[in-house]
């Protein structure tokens, strides 16, 4: 008795994007098969359940073997075992390092340690994301952090070079690394209305303006071990921010600043009377935030303080976003007309970033 067997030989590794998504989402083979059956694939292809089971298992084995290469993406490009076109390699890498908004909001600003990893069960339950997917995303964050945390140069460029991510995803990872390094508080109830995109926008502004990398040169002290130029806040800059305290401590300067802002905005601001009545409290809030950034705890509480000292008071007075923008523009610019103030460059470096963050944090 003879049997006929059709054999197809090829050297290109086939990647089914739908099965890859199920694998990344943490589904077991049996769950993935069930989901594929539910999608109607058996009717569409005429395949049997046994063939579908075998096909899914085969893809899962391939993805498992590829995973060690995905941990160091340049290795995927240079290996010869899997013949995968460049466009598919890019897709594999990008999707492997993609993350869920709900998950990143739970861990943003936390230490990427075993302690946080123990919380993944609770995060999985809360978000509905499988535990396996939570672990993959957390391990990706930790892996990228460990590789780039002490590198010189642009954080985004370093991430792109070592993980081959798109510009947008590399920028998101830069924000995650920056927040993890500086341990910014993001989990408080009053911050829950903010999205990862809101925090990532602020992180990009701070990286561009408040870090050692923003200064454009390495520390001059010969014993300095600070190599992570875009990851650490510029401590000298944070120390200098104490000089801004005179804007609210000197009564004459505070009164003149208020007068300049009110004169410029009279008739242009819908909430002018509220602004005029609350100007000194708002100014003290913004300046005191700056003066306290020499302490690690106050750095961590930056976003809590901004919401408490500025966003909530303006929101309670029903400021529209357009009025917030007008006020912040004039509030920042008027300092240049204060003859007794000699720290304009420091003020611009501080308020230029703070203004952008506040406008992003303010949801009217």
């Amino acid at each position: 008795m003879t049997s006929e067997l059709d054999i197809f030989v090829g050297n290109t590794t086939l990647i089914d994007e739908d099965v890859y998504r199920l694998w990344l989402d943490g589904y077991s083979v049996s769950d993935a098969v069930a989901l594929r059956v539910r999608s109607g694939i058996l009717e569409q292809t005429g395949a049997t359940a046994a063939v579908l089971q075998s096909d899914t298992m085969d893809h899962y084995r391939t993805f498992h073997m590829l995973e060690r290469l995905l941990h160091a993406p340049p290795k995927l490009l240079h290996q010869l075992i899997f013949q995968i076109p460049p466009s598919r390699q890019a897709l594999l890498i990008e999707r492997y390092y993609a993350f869920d908004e709900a998950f990143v909001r739970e861990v943003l600003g936390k230490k990427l340690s075993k302690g946080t990893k123990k919380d993944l069960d609770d995060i999985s339950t809360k978000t509905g994301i499988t535990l396996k997917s939570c672990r993959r995303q957390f391990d990706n964050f930790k892996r990228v952090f460990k590789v780039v945390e002490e590198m010189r140069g642009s954080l985004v460029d370093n991430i792109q070079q070592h993980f081959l991510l798109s510009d947008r995803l590399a920028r998101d990872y830069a924000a995650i690394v920056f927040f993890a390094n500086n341990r910014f508080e993001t989990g408080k109830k009053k911050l829950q209305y903010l999205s990862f995109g809101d925090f990532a926008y602020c992180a990009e502004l701070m990286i561009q303006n408040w870090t050692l990398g923003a200064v454009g040169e390495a520390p001059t002290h010969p014993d300095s071990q600070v190599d992570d130029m875009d990851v650490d806040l510029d401590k000298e800059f944070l120390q200098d921010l104490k000089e801004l305290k005179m804007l609210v401590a000197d009564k004459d300067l505070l009164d003149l600043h208020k007068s300049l802002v009110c004169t410029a905005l009279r008739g242009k601001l819908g909430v002018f009377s509220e602004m005029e009545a609350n100007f000194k409290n708002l100014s003290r809030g913004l300046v005191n935030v700056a003066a306290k950034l020499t302490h690690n705890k106050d750095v961590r509480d930056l976003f809590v303080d901004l919401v408490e000292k500025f966003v909530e008071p303006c929101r309670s007075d029903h400021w529209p976003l357009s009025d917030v923008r007008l006020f912040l523009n004039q509030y920042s610019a008027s300092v240049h007309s204060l003859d007794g103030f000699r720290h304009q460059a420091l003020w611009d470096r501080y308020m230029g970033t703070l203004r952008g963050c506040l406008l992003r944090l303010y949801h009217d």
Side-chain angles (χ1 to χ4, degrees):
M1 180 179 178
T2 60
S3 299
E4 290 187 3
L5 185 64
D6 291 330
I7 299 176
F8 172 78
V9 178
N11 67 348
T12 300
T13 303
L14 300 177
I15 303 294
D16 186 306
E17 293 183 34
D18 292 331
V19 181
Y20 187 49
R21 177 181 55 79
L22 293 170
W23 179 75
L24 289 174
D25 286 345
Y27 290 106
S28 65
V29 171
S30 57
D31 287 340
V33 169
L35 288 166
R36 294 183 78 188
V37 168
R38 207 174 302 159
S39 73
I41 192 170
L42 294 182
E43 292 78 11
Q44 295 164 17
T45 63
T48 65
V51 168
L52 186 66
Q53 172 86 12
S54 178
D55 177 69
T56 305
M57 288 181 66
D58 186 50
H59 275 96
Y60 268 50
R61 277 192 295 267
T62 300
F63 299 147
H64 180 70
M65 289 186 288
L66 285 169
E67 188 164 22
R68 64 182 179 80
L69 298 171
L70 289 166
H71 289 171
K75 290 183 179 179
L76 179 63
L77 270 61
H78 300 124
Q79 56 80 37
L80 300 175
I81 299 172
F82 301 97
Q83 301 301 308
I84 305 172
S87 61
R88 303 299 271 181
Q89 291 177 343
L91 179 143
L92 287 170
I93 295 166
E94 192 79 1
R95 293 195 180 174
Y96 187 79
Y97 283 91
F99 53 82
D100 293 294
E101 163 93 16
F103 176 76
V104 73
R105 272 300 277 116
E106 292 296 320
V107 301
L108 187 66
K110 293 183 179 178
K111 192 174 183 179
L112 299 175
S113 64
K114 290 181 180 178
T116 303
K117 195 168 185 177
K118 289 179 181 177
D119 297 333
L120 296 185
D121 279 322
D122 294 335
I123 293 174
S124 174
T125 302
K126 179 178 178 180
T127 61
I129 299 166
T130 66
L131 181 58
K132 190 172 182 180
S133 181
C134 287
R135 285 174 177 158
R136 172 182 60 82
Q137 294 178 58
F138 179 84
D139 288 343
N140 285 345
F141 296 164
K142 186 174 181 179
R143 186 180 309 111
V144 173
F145 180 88
K146 281 186 169 294
V147 169
V148 304
E149 66 172 321
E150 294 185 0
M151 284 185 174
R152 284 179 172 274
S154 164
L155 187 53
V156 174
D157 290 348
N158 287 336
I159 291 171
Q160 284 187 298
Q161 180 183 346
H162 288 83
F163 292 92
L164 310 180
L165 305 183
S166 66
D167 181 72
R168 181 64 268 159
L169 190 55
R171 290 180 184 280
D172 286 343
Y173 267 87
I176 292 165
V177 169
F178 184 69
F179 266 65
N181 185 66
N182 293 287
R183 306 285 302 280
F184 292 111
E185 172 62 58
T186 67
K188 291 283 179 67
K189 186 176 180 181
K190 64 179 58 192
L191 300 179
Q192 290 305 303
Y193 76 98
L194 296 169
S195 68
F196 168 72
D198 294 329
F199 286 117
Y201 177 84
C202 295
E204 191 162 350
L205 287 179
M206 286 189 279
I207 289 170
Q208 290 171 354
N209 298 292
W210 288 5
T211 63
L212 285 166
V215 180
E217 57 184 22
T220 55
H221 195 285
D223 296 328
S224 175
Q225 298 297 311
V226 182
D227 292 329
D228 36 343
M229 305 293 285
D230 269 3
V231 177
D232 284 333
L233 292 167
D234 180 356
K235 287 184 169 54
E236 187 176 336
F237 163 67
L238 299 183
Q239 287 286 345
D240 289 345
L241 287 175
K242 290 180 179 179
E243 302 293 342
L244 303 183
K245 188 84 172 175
M246 65 183 298
L247 285 170
V248 293
D250 186 318
K251 184 179 183 303
D252 291 338
L253 270 183
L254 180 58
D255 288 340
L256 180 56
H257 193 189
K258 176 180 177 180
S259 176
L260 289 169
V261 173
C262 289
T263 299
L265 293 181
R266 194 178 304 275
K268 299 177 182 178
L269 216 60
V271 290
F272 181 83
S273 58
E274 291 86 349
M275 181 277 292
E276 187 177 32
N278 209 24
F279 178 90
K280 292 184 178 180
N281 286 333
L282 292 176
S283 188
R284 287 191 185 100
L286 295 178
V287 172
N288 287 336
V289 165
K292 292 194 304 178
L293 289 179
T294 51
H295 306 291
N296 288 338
K297 183 186 183 304
D298 292 308
V299 170
R300 287 199 294 271
D301 287 340
L302 174 64
F303 293 97
V304 176
D305 289 340
L306 292 180
V307 169
E308 285 182 352
K309 306 297 185 186
F310 186 84
V311 173
E312 287 178 347
C314 291
R315 191 185 286 154
S316 68
D317 281 340
H318 308 292
W319 287 41
L321 181 59
S322 56
D323 279 5
V324 174
R325 181 177 288 106
L326 276 173
F327 170 75
L328 287 173
N329 287 347
Q330 195 58 49
Y331 176 78
S332 301
S334 295
V335 167
H336 288 270
S337 299
L338 299 175
D339 291 336
F341 187 67
R342 295 286 180 266
H343 305 284
Q344 269 82 8
L346 179 67
W347 173 253
D348 288 344
R349 187 178 176 189
Y350 173 66
M351 274 307 298
T353 294
L354 204 72
R355 173 190 170 280
C357 288
L358 288 169
L359 291 174
R360 186 67 185 237
L361 301 182
Y362 193 84
H363 295 195
D364 60 348

